[in-house]
Amino acid sequence: MYRFLLTPRWWGINVFLLLAIPFCIFMGSWQLGRFEDRVDDHRDAEARVASDKREEAGPLDGLLPVTKATSGKQATATGRYDTQLLVPDRQLDGKDGYYVLTLLHTDAGRALPVVRGWLPGDPDPAEVPPAPTGEVTVTGALQASETPGSNGVSARGGLPAGQTAAISSASLVNLVEYDVYDAWVTLNNGDSGMKAVPATAPGGTGLDLKAFQNLGYTAEWFAFVGFVIFMWFRLFRRELELARDAELGLVPEGDERPEPERSSPSAV
């Protein structure tokens, strides 16, 4: 009855089964490891942001360019506030609002985007406290330029004058007549009663879409293991039933299924 297991076709099926299952388990475990690494990176990044806030601030130029190692570090810069912009569609503590972004024109001739704080509701220049006048020294967490369309940053265009969707040097350079640092700072304490915007972990260390893609791929690989085993049992059951039918004379022995009846030619 089980002679079909010795046929070359079934040898090929069994070899495929023995190779496919370990391969799928390996790939699923690898994708799960990638997800766990991202979770660990996310925890480490959050802990680093918290610890960086307690460190002594360093000069801005000494922390550039912004990398995973310098993102979140306390930076200090001196200059005069200049152009002010509002950044809509920003949430804080589960509420909709906007950032108040003011460019600090430094002695180096470049401007540093400074998020002075967050306000609730729709962007309204009349509700924004004016920026301090004269020379000021700011201290806050260093952040990398945002990329529109990623990490929740709005990519919509057609904003009113005085607004920008992303805090990015590539965007801001089109709104002002001077060079802009490829970085920005969020103040530790909100200016003029505004809420301070907390620093975020550097890109590539959070539980973003790529992290959950790894988790989804993990489920797919392990599901494929179950599918392979299911198909093997289904084929085995089918061949076993055909073998039993052959022993009972229902199927000519050696054939997989009965031959369909053929109608005899009509007599002429």
Side-chain angles (χ1 to χ4, degrees):
M1 181 184 300
Y2 295 98
R3 285 179 297 174
F4 66 87
L5 294 175
L6 301 178
T7 61
R9 184 168 70 91
W10 265 94
W11 273 106
I13 292 174
N14 290 332
V15 169
F16 173 77
L17 179 75
L18 294 176
L19 293 178
I21 290 177
F23 177 77
C24 292
I25 292 176
F26 169 78
M27 292 301 297
S29 301
W30 180 71
Q31 291 288 354
L32 181 59
R34 292 286 302 273
F35 175 75
E36 290 175 343
D37 289 341
R38 289 181 177 274
V39 171
D40 292 339
D41 287 345
H42 179 67
R43 290 173 179 169
D44 293 342
E46 286 187 332
R48 190 164 59 248
V49 168
S51 63
D52 288 341
K53 192 172 181 178
R54 296 189 296 268
E55 292 182 0
E56 184 178 353
L60 172 66
D61 292 333
L63 299 173
L64 298 177
V66 183
T67 63
K68 287 185 178 181
T70 59
S71 178
K73 292 287 186 182
Q74 291 293 298
T76 182
T78 301
R80 295 175 179 271
Y81 280 126
D82 198 312
T83 306
Q84 183 159 279
L85 301 166
L86 306 182
V87 187
D89 304 325
R90 298 304 174 108
Q91 287 192 338
L92 188 62
D93 299 331
K95 298 179 180 179
D96 294 328
Y98 57 98
Y99 292 169
V100 176
L101 175 70
T102 311
L103 298 181
L104 183 73
H105 203 277
T106 66
D107 294 337
R110 290 192 290 175
L112 173 67
V114 177
V115 173
R116 295 171 49 224
W118 175 91
L119 290 173
D122 296 326
D124 184 357
E127 298 292 331
V128 178
T133 59
E135 189 175 76
V136 295
T137 298
V138 299
T139 301
L142 184 65
Q143 303 279 263
S145 287
E146 296 178 334
T147 302
S150 65
N151 297 326
V153 178
S154 175
R156 68 187 181 96
L159 293 174
Q163 294 187 23
T164 180
I167 309 174
S168 165
S169 59
S171 301
L172 296 174
V173 73
N174 298 317
L175 303 177
V176 296
E177 298 178 350
Y178 38 78
D179 293 334
V180 179
Y181 282 100
D182 189 17
W184 57 283
V185 164
T186 175
L187 297 183
N188 296 327
N189 300 306
D191 193 7
S192 303
M194 293 184 288
K195 284 190 175 182
V197 175
T200 59
T205 60
L207 296 179
D208 53 10
L209 179 61
K210 290 184 178 180
F212 289 101
Q213 281 180 341
N214 293 134
L215 191 60
Y217 293 149
T218 299
E220 288 180 2
W221 282 112
F222 286 127
F224 192 66
V225 172
F227 174 76
V228 170
I229 296 174
F230 167 77
M231 290 302 299
W232 185 90
F233 275 109
R234 185 173 181 179
L235 289 174
F236 177 81
R237 182 178 178 181
R238 172 179 172 275
E239 295 291 341
L240 187 60
E241 290 174 349
L242 288 174
R244 288 173 178 172
D245 290 345
E247 288 186 349
L248 295 174
L250 301 177
V251 179
E253 192 167 351
D255 293 345
E256 294 186 350
R257 55 177 61 85
E259 289 286 341
E261 294 184 1
R262 299 180 181 178
S263 58
S264 59
S266 303
V268 178

